[in-house]
Amino acid sequence: MRNFLNLMKNEQIKLFSRFATWSMFIIIAVIIIASGIITFIFDDFVTKDYGDNWRTELQEENADFEEMMEGEYMEGAYTGEIERNNYHLENDIKPSSYDGWQFTLDNAGLSMMISLFTIIIAAGMIASEFRWGTIKLLLIRPISRTKIMFSKYATVLLFALSMLIFLFVINLIVGAIFFGINGLNPTFVQSTMSGFQEVGIMKEIFTEYGLQMIKLVMMATFAFMISSLFRNSGMAIGLAIFLMFAGNMIVGVLSQYEWSKYILFANTDLSQYQADRHPMIEGMTMGFSVTILVIYYIIFLAVSWIAFTKRDVAGN
Amino acid sequence: MGIAMELRNVYKSIGKKEIIKDLSFDIKPGEVFGFLGPNGAGKTTTIRMMVGLMKITSGDILINGKSIAKDYKGAVKEVGAIVENPEMYPFMSGLKNLKHYARMMDGIDDERIEEVIKLVGLEKAIKEKAGRYSLGMRQRLGIAQALLHRPSVLILDEPTNGLDPAGIKEIRQYIRRLAEEENVAVIVSSHLLSEIELMCDRIGIIKNGELISIQSVNGQEEESAVTVSIEVEDKSASREILENDFDLKVAEEGRYLSIKLEKELIPTIIKKLAAQDINIFEVNVRRTSLEDKFFEVIGENTIA
Ligand SMILES: Nc1ncnc2c1ncn2[C@@H]1O[C@H](COP(=O)(O)OP(=O)(O)OP(=O)(O)O)[C@@H](O)[C@H]1O
Ligand SMILES: [Mg+2]
């Protein structure tokens, strides 16, 4: 175990000795700050604060919406907003003003960036040692290759986790600076299967970030596998990112076939099972998707392991 | 005394190509063994098998009696090595590189790291990024890395590559010291005889994946043949005697007859020639030098 911790420490040091790694954190921070500024300056609707006479304000808003919907092609465009406003009025809940928590929730989509960065890190994890030639000195120690591989894989997961926490904290700080904070776990009104409901924002944030994490871990593990298999990071990055973006499209094209539900990408987005959504392919269930994900995950790791431990380290 | 490293009928094939064929030899503790062969002979491949980077197709390699194939950890614990070029993490300092490897093995403290740095003479550059090192400096860092855990078997693949003459001399001296004072078995590969003959006790010559001969550098245990050049008045008569009476192969080199024979035979043939009234002007004895042997064995330097 001490052994394994030492290996992880080594991987951390190698990772953070490179500017490229730090630049990923910097990029995330810059994007969030920029998004904070843009929302603050330009997006009056989202950041609108309601005063004491919020009831009248909501009614005026609804009237405006009705009016706008009279225009051509606009029919039904704002029914959602109107219903939400009505829910507030009927249940006498004052709409909470936009704050750091809301900002954090809105920016959950940025975990796409984390996926991208984690894929890049995962892809280099094994391939770079081959490119530098250091693999030869790494693998002649009294430590099994299995242990070395898993220390590298664990480092990828740790990196993803630290990026996610970083994203969350920076979001919250930037959001709080621009929009303030409404207590520890403010509630807000959200549409669900059974109509509108008031929900705690923490739960929402964790669900949102957690679901993104599943996709992230699957794609990072995939990139890790390619990296171990072909010992080439460019290929691993290219393939993983291509599939990440094209995955849904591939499923879309093939969705007419029954077997398409076994494709990884039909199952990576578990939010398809949220109350107000429909699964990608008829008849799929949460349990089914989780099973498929676990199977893919085990295959990815098994292939990485075989490729890393069983093959010769020959000349390049 | 035991055997530090033992190769037993080692074969290696990649695809259909047989790269190493039936390699067997032993290396004793305290011995410096040279592994000599032209480019592509299979030196690096053999070394990769010794340290477990490549699997042995058939045969076995034992390090202090432990099989690298069956007891990898036990065998490799005692080994320090550089395989081919000493590549380091270019974005980390020499010191960080050493600490990285130190964390992977037991019982290496900061003092030992300092000691090794001093030994290879890298004190001044150790805080600099390894990416900025010259080839010779990287070679030194590679050797430092191999020595960290006080291995009892040290394997160095072309350690003199990239070193200046002073550097080669230094390395030669501390390889000798390691062998003599700390009883380390050292394997040094090279394709240049001149660079290793001064530091080795024995040299194994490998060509096309086969071990062709093993030579002692300073002894005669394994070779007592010498080459004798004789200048005589009557070359053809002498030649007849040598060929018929002694069954020797005789070559003519200008005024000389050149014969390869056991040293003990020299007085006998001279007496015989003199007894036949042949005038002898000059007798030159040349020990078959390692250099000759090497070229003789290697022949033209073709890469298979
Ligand atoms: N991965 C591989 N696949 C196929 N053939 C290989 C592989 N690695 C090495 N070889 C072949 O094995 C032979 C021996 O190569 P090796 O690197 O062991 O030679 P070497 O003695 O170290 O040469 P050099 O002095 O140039 O370092 C060469 O003919 C080479 O082409
Ligand atoms: Mg070589």
Side-chain angles (χ1 to χ4, degrees):
Chain A
M1 198 58 211
R2 185 191 71 89
N3 217 323
F4 192 77
L5 291 180
N6 271 343
L7 290 178
M8 294 253 334
K9 186 173 173 192
N10 271 349
E11 295 303 327
Q12 289 297 323
I13 290 173
K14 284 186 268 187
L15 195 55
F16 287 98
S17 293
R18 279 172 287 160
F19 177 71
T21 312
W22 291 103
S23 71
M24 292 174 178
F25 287 90
I26 296 171
I27 290 170
I28 296 269
V30 167
I31 290 179
I32 292 171
I33 292 169
S35 121
I37 294 173
I38 290 168
T39 315
F40 184 71
I41 297 179
F42 298 107
D43 207 337
D44 291 334
F45 177 64
V46 176
T47 57
K48 182 169 181 178
D49 278 330
Y50 294 89
D52 282 337
N53 51 349
W54 54 273
R55 290 183 191 78
T56 2
E57 282 179 55
L58 283 182
Q59 272 153 4
E60 279 166 15
E61 233 174 60
N62 276 355
D64 285 346
F65 283 140
E66 299 278 3
E67 198 176 311
M68 280 194 276
M69 283 203 299
E70 273 159 25
E72 217 172 345
Y73 309 125
M74 296 296 278
E75 199 175 330
Y78 296 101
T79 34
E81 273 78 5
I82 294 173
E83 277 172 34
R84 182 196 301 266
N85 285 349
N86 285 339
Y87 181 85
H88 280 287
L89 292 169
E90 281 158 23
N91 295 281
D92 201 28
I93 305 166
K94 182 182 170 187
S96 52
S97 52
Y98 196 77
D99 75 337
W101 295 107
Q102 281 282 351
F103 183 73
T104 306
L105 184 59
D106 286 351
N107 274 340
L110 273 182
S111 34
M112 181 77 106
M113 294 289 292
I114 298 185
S115 300
L116 223 63
F117 290 149
T118 309
I119 284 173
I120 293 172
I121 296 296
M125 216 60 201
I126 290 174
S128 295
E129 300 276 0
F130 279 90
R131 187 161 50 84
W132 295 322
T134 44
I135 190 77
K136 290 175 294 188
L137 292 184
L138 196 67
L139 295 186
I140 57 170
R141 311 292 151 183
I143 298 175
S144 71
R145 289 197 194 178
T146 304
K147 234 182 204 172
I148 291 179
M149 189 200 95
F150 278 102
S151 75
K152 285 184 168 293
Y153 183 66
T155 304
V156 172
L157 295 186
L158 193 63
F159 174 82
L161 187 68
S162 46
M163 272 238 139
L164 202 75
I165 292 172
F166 179 77
L167 175 70
F168 180 79
V169 170
I170 290 282
N171 259 327
L172 205 55
I173 292 173
V174 172
I177 290 171
F178 282 107
F179 313 107
I181 283 278
N182 299 334
L184 263 185
N185 184 15
T187 56
F188 74 115
V189 169
Q190 205 199 23
S191 77
T192 65
M193 197 63 140
S194 46
F196 284 93
Q197 250 174 16
E198 190 175 14
V199 292
I201 200 155
M202 279 296 221
K203 179 173 156 277
E204 225 28 54
I205 288 176
F206 279 119
T207 325
E208 199 63 35
Y209 279 71
L211 288 175
Q212 297 281 355
M213 199 68 183
I214 292 172
K215 202 166 182 175
L216 187 162
V217 167
M218 290 308 292
M219 290 322 291
T221 311
F222 175 78
F224 190 77
M225 174 186 76
I226 300 293
S227 169
S228 169
L229 202 54
F230 295 100
R231 299 171 174 182
N232 177 323
S233 61
M235 182 183 219
I237 294 173
L239 216 54
I241 291 180
F242 169 75
L243 286 177
M244 188 170 86
F245 286 112
N248 283 339
M249 213 176 67
I250 294 171
V251 175
V253 170
L254 298 172
S255 63
Q256 49 184 312
Y257 303 106
E258 166 74 12
W259 51 262
S260 65
K261 65 180 177 193
Y262 297 107
I263 297 175
L264 172 64
F265 304 101
N267 299 286
T268 41
D269 183 12
L270 290 182
S271 68
Q272 59 182 309
Y273 301 112
Q274 276 172 352
D276 55 337
R277 302 265 309 270
H278 292 290
M280 249 182 232
I281 291 152
E282 205 61 45
M284 283 169 61
T285 63
M286 182 84 151
F288 172 81
S289 282
V290 171
T291 313
I292 295 286
L293 287 176
V294 169
I295 291 173
Y296 270 101
Y297 184 77
I298 291 172
I299 292 174
F300 289 171
L301 277 185
V303 172
S304 311
W305 180 76
I306 291 168
F308 190 74
T309 59
K310 302 291 177 199
R311 280 192 316 173
D312 280 353
V313 177
N316 310 311
Chain B
M1 203 179 285
I3 292 171
M5 157 104 54
E6 182 182 357
L7 277 79
R8 281 189 194 156
N9 308 99
V10 173
Y11 285 82
K12 176 74 193 178
S13 315
I14 298 183
K16 286 213 174 78
K17 203 166 147 203
E18 208 165 55
I19 295 176
I20 300 295
K21 296 156 208 154
D22 200 16
L23 218 52
S24 296
F25 57 86
D26 299 341
I27 298 153
K28 291 183 277 293
E31 182 182 39
V32 182
F33 184 86
F35 202 36
L36 192 64
N39 294 133
K43 303 180 294 291
T44 301
T45 306
T46 308
I47 287 174
R48 281 177 193 270
M49 287 191 283
M50 287 174 174
V51 295
L53 287 175
M54 278 181 155
K55 278 202 197 65
I56 303 164
T57 303
S58 81
D60 203 354
I61 296 179
L62 306 178
I63 295 167
N64 294 321
K66 288 175 182 147
S67 157
I68 191 84
K70 294 187 202 86
D71 179 11
Y72 168 73
K73 277 193 232 174
V76 93
K77 206 185 294 182
E78 290 290 319
V79 178
I82 316 182
V83 183
E84 240 157 20
N85 308 316
E87 284 118 341
M88 297 287 159
Y89 299 103
F91 46 84
M92 299 201 299
S93 70
L95 185 63
K96 277 194 169 180
N97 268 286
L98 288 182
K99 286 194 166 166
H100 172 270
Y101 294 116
R103 265 181 226 110
M104 300 182 78
M105 295 170 298
D106 287 329
I108 302 169
D109 51 18
D110 288 353
E111 248 163 77
R112 175 62 186 166
I113 296 177
E114 293 283 309
E115 200 177 306
V116 173
I117 293 169
K118 214 172 275 167
L119 187 67
V120 298
L122 269 182
E123 299 101 317
K124 279 203 196 109
I126 203 67
K127 295 256 164 69
E128 252 177 70
K129 286 206 167 117
R132 300 206 196 107
Y133 281 15
S134 69
L135 181 55
M137 286 156 80
R138 262 186 288 146
Q139 197 68 259
R140 285 161 196 255
L141 191 59
I143 293 170
Q145 158 280 130
L147 290 176
L148 274 176
H149 53 303
R150 302 175 201 274
S152 67
V153 174
L154 183 63
I155 303 173
L156 305 173
D157 195 4
E158 316 227 9
T160 49
N161 187 11
L163 291 181
D164 49 29
I168 292 177
K169 196 172 163 200
E170 263 174 60
I171 290 209
R172 183 193 303 148
Q173 281 164 351
Y174 61 69
I175 283 177
R176 287 296 334 163
R177 206 166 66 224
L178 279 172
E180 280 158 24
E181 289 170 17
E182 300 188 30
N183 211 26
V184 175
V186 188
I187 297 156
V188 199
S189 88
S190 179
H191 51 260
L192 281 177
L193 176 68
S194 57
E195 289 195 344
I196 57 167
E197 85 181 308
L198 287 176
M199 62 177 112
C200 294
D201 299 307
R202 282 191 306 155
I203 290 180
I205 300 174
I206 182 177
K207 187 190 175 190
N208 294 335
E210 284 173 285
L211 191 68
I212 293 182
S213 86
I214 295 186
Q215 306 276 316
S216 273
V217 176
N218 301 311
Q220 284 143 292
E221 311 125 46
E222 301 185 32
E223 189 86 0
S224 58
V226 292
T227 307
V228 180
S229 308
I230 316 177
E231 191 182 355
V232 289
E233 206 165 30
D234 189 344
K235 279 196 286 190
S236 56
S238 317
R239 191 174 177 148
E240 221 158 87
I241 296 167
L242 292 171
E243 283 178 343
N244 297 338
D245 295 11
F246 297 95
D247 202 19
L248 291 168
K249 253 194 170 163
V250 182
E252 274 189 48
E253 289 175 359
R255 308 195 323 267
Y256 299 92
L257 290 178
S258 164
I259 329 139
K260 213 168 142 188
L261 77 176
E262 300 292 306
K263 202 176 175 185
E264 294 76 53
L265 258 180
I266 297 174
T268 324
I269 62 159
I270 290 177
K271 273 185 209 152
K272 180 85 182 176
L273 290 175
Q276 300 289 322
D277 257 353
I278 291 173
N279 290 329
I280 304 171
F281 300 108
E282 194 181 329
V283 178
N284 274 318
V285 180
R286 235 179 329 130
R287 189 178 317 288
T288 326
S289 81
L290 220 46
E291 191 80 50
D292 292 345
K293 188 79 193 174
F294 183 49
F295 278 115
E296 190 181 305
V297 164
I298 300 303
E300 70 295 7
N301 190 358
T302 47
I303 292 171

